[in-house]
Amino acid sequence: VFLLLMAGFWTSFNQIFMTLPEYIRDYVDTRDLVGVVESAFGSFGTDPAGWSRALLDKGQIKPEYLVNLNAGAIIVFQVLISWLVRKTTPLTSIIAGVAVTVGSFGVYLVNRSGWVIVAAILVFSIGEMLASPRSKEYAGRIAPPEKVGMYMGYFYWCVALGNLFGGLLSGVAYGYFGPAGIDRPDGMWVLFALLAATTACGLMVFHRVVKPAGAT
């Protein structure tokens, strides 16, 4: 049951890699970011023609470079986030992370500018840093002492299910809400937020009802 619940989190989590690039390509105007990048490169005396060929497509920043902010944020901030939540229980950290993920989907509803996308990705990254490491710890805590390694290994089933269902959900949602459908992309972010919120509620019910030995 825990793996199925966490599969819901990973299904919504994967939308940053599966749906967001398509959304940026079709709906987002990143020209507000282009000017900042130009200034940054210019301050180092870099020829803008070189970086523009790599970073830009038709005057817009390529989606993959914005999505990579997620990895960059984790590299920079994971140690700090882990230190800040070191005294919280794994379940508390997981639920807080999922809640932050829900909030990150709401940021996309503000508008379709480049800075909003950056803000949403960074908020999402905080949620990931809160939830992902502690979820494996929680899996180890609910395991019998002689099966901790096996439980933590089997935890990756929820990652695999998230990849499977994430791809299916992305295709269906973007096909319906995207430019080939009703052309109302905000609806899919609400859908992803509801899925993540359901996961958070399910985890709280699971912990109260099942009360696994050693889990906190």
Side-chain angles (χ1 to χ4, degrees):
V1 173
F2 175 69
L3 292 179
L4 288 174
L5 289 170
M6 288 306 299
F9 167 73
W10 285 102
T11 298
S12 60
F13 165 87
N14 277 316
Q15 302 314 313
I16 193 175
F17 304 109
M18 297 175 175
T19 304
L20 182 58
E22 307 296 322
Y23 175 76
I24 294 172
R25 180 197 65 196
D26 293 334
Y27 290 104
V28 177
D29 184 355
T30 61
R31 285 177 294 180
D32 55 339
L33 297 177
V34 173
V36 174
V37 175
E38 286 179 343
S39 299
F41 275 90
S43 64
F44 292 102
T46 304
D47 180 9
W51 69 263
S52 62
R53 284 193 297 270
L55 297 181
L56 302 183
D57 181 22
K58 298 178 181 178
Q60 302 285 332
I61 295 180
K62 295 178 182 178
E64 57 266 30
Y65 289 100
L66 293 177
V67 173
N68 281 339
L69 290 172
N70 169 249
I74 292 172
I75 292 170
V76 174
F77 295 112
Q78 180 65 73
V79 173
L80 174 62
I81 295 295
S82 297
W83 181 80
L84 291 174
V85 300
R86 67 193 184 283
K87 295 182 179 180
T88 64
T89 65
L91 184 68
T92 300
S93 184
I94 294 168
I95 293 173
V98 177
V100 172
T101 300
V102 173
S104 74
F105 292 133
V107 175
Y108 294 113
L109 306 181
V110 175
N111 63 49
R112 299 174 186 175
S113 68
W115 281 115
V116 166
I117 298 300
V118 170
I121 292 172
L122 294 179
V123 172
F124 176 90
S125 300
I126 293 173
E128 180 185 357
M129 288 184 274
L130 288 169
S132 182
R134 302 305 294 276
S135 58
K136 288 185 278 293
E137 180 182 349
Y138 186 84
R141 290 198 181 195
I142 67 176
E146 71 279 6
K147 295 182 178 180
V148 171
M150 184 181 74
Y151 271 53
M152 295 183 76
Y154 270 98
F155 172 82
Y156 286 95
W157 267 104
C158 67
V159 179
L161 291 172
N163 284 323
L164 172 62
F165 296 134
L168 294 172
L169 178 62
S170 175
V172 172
Y174 205 76
Y176 180 77
F177 291 106
I182 64 174
D183 200 24
R184 298 184 63 181
D186 289 354
M188 65 186 179
W189 298 120
V190 174
L191 174 64
F192 302 151
L194 289 173
L195 175 60
T198 301
T199 298
C201 294
L203 286 170
M204 288 187 286
V205 173
F206 170 81
H207 187 75
R208 286 182 176 273
V209 173
V210 179
K211 290 284 187 181
T216 54

